[in-house]
Amino acid sequence: MVLDGMGRNEAMLLTRKGITKHPLYHTWVQMKARCYDKNHPAYKNYGGRGIIVCDEWHDSVTFIKHCEEVLGPKPDGHTHDRIDNDGNYEPVNSRWASQREQSKNRRSYGKGYTYSKRSKLWMVQWKVNGKIAYHGYYKTEEEAKKKAKQTCPKGPENYSW
């Protein structure tokens, strides 16, 4: 639902109460929570790393307008993503991305370790000759990184991430 040239129903969404019904409103709420709510489970990976939401996107309507007018309609199976994983939430660092694209945009991608949401642990694994070699689960990212370096298929001296 594009916010320019709005019909009556779309115009009602611009009320502070009505905007909460917009499909992107929850995206906006979660984006802000990850960056500013120290009790949010993902805060350490966002606000805890200094990632912020740009001033203009502190307003939900402005964020939603940007997504619809600049990024265009959200493709099925895509969500809002930051192009630069170390960058802030801002218009120049914004796109629709598939789950696969987002998984490749993680800090740990290609480094031999990833975070498992299911087990809530860090998993060390390498793909060698088309087969996955697992090297265990670890409580902290630092433990996983250390194990990934030790088990790097090219040798620990070639672990450069």
Side-chain angles (χ1 to χ4, degrees), residues 52-54 56-57 66 80 82 87-94:
I52 62 168
V53 177
C54 69
E56 64 188 289
W57 282 4
H66 167 79
H80 187 261
R82 288 172 297 128
N88 295 323
Y89 283 101
E90 56 190 342
V92 297
N93 195 30
S94 175

Side-chain angles (χ1 to χ4, degrees), residues 23-144:
L24 291 172
Y25 182 78
H26 182 72
T27 299
W28 175 80
V29 168
Q30 287 301 309
M31 171 182 70
K32 289 199 55 180
R34 287 189 298 270
C35 293
Y36 301 112
D37 179 359
K38 292 182 180 178
N39 294 318
H40 191 281
Y43 175 81
K44 65 181 180 183
N45 296 316
Y46 294 84
R49 291 197 306 128
I51 293 169
I52 62 168
V53 177
C54 69
D55 290 341
E56 64 188 289
W57 282 4
H58 280 257
D59 176 66
S60 58
V61 173
T62 304
F63 170 75
I64 291 168
K65 279 185 176 184
H66 167 79
C67 289
E68 291 188 336
E69 295 173 359
V70 177
L71 302 181
K74 183 176 103 167
D76 287 342
H78 287 62
T79 56
H80 187 261
D81 184 44
R82 288 172 297 128
I83 297 166
D84 175 3
N85 192 18
D86 293 320
N88 295 323
Y89 283 101
E90 56 190 342
V92 297
N93 195 30
S94 175
R95 67 176 178 177
W96 296 126
S98 67
Q99 189 64 38
R100 183 179 178 128
E101 290 168 316
Q102 286 197 19
S103 68
K104 289 182 176 182
N105 196 20
R106 293 179 178 205
R107 286 180 288 153
S108 60
Y109 180 75
K111 299 177 183 178
Y113 63 96
T114 57
Y115 185 74
S116 169
K117 288 183 181 179
R118 182 178 292 165
S119 66
K120 297 183 178 168
L121 294 169
W122 289 88
M123 178 175 53
V124 177
Q125 65 182 30
W126 291 99
K127 194 169 188 177
V128 181
N129 298 327
K131 295 182 181 179
I132 296 177
Y134 293 95
H135 296 281
Y137 288 90
Y138 301 86
K139 289 182 181 179
T140 68
E141 184 177 5
E142 285 308 309
E143 290 174 314

Side-chain angles (χ1 to χ4, degrees), residues 1-11 14 65 68-69:
M1 89 187 53
V2 177
L3 298 176
D4 278 347
M6 297 172 284
R8 186 166 186 218
N9 290 338
E10 287 91 359
L14 290 181
K65 279 185 176 184
E68 291 188 336
E69 295 173 359

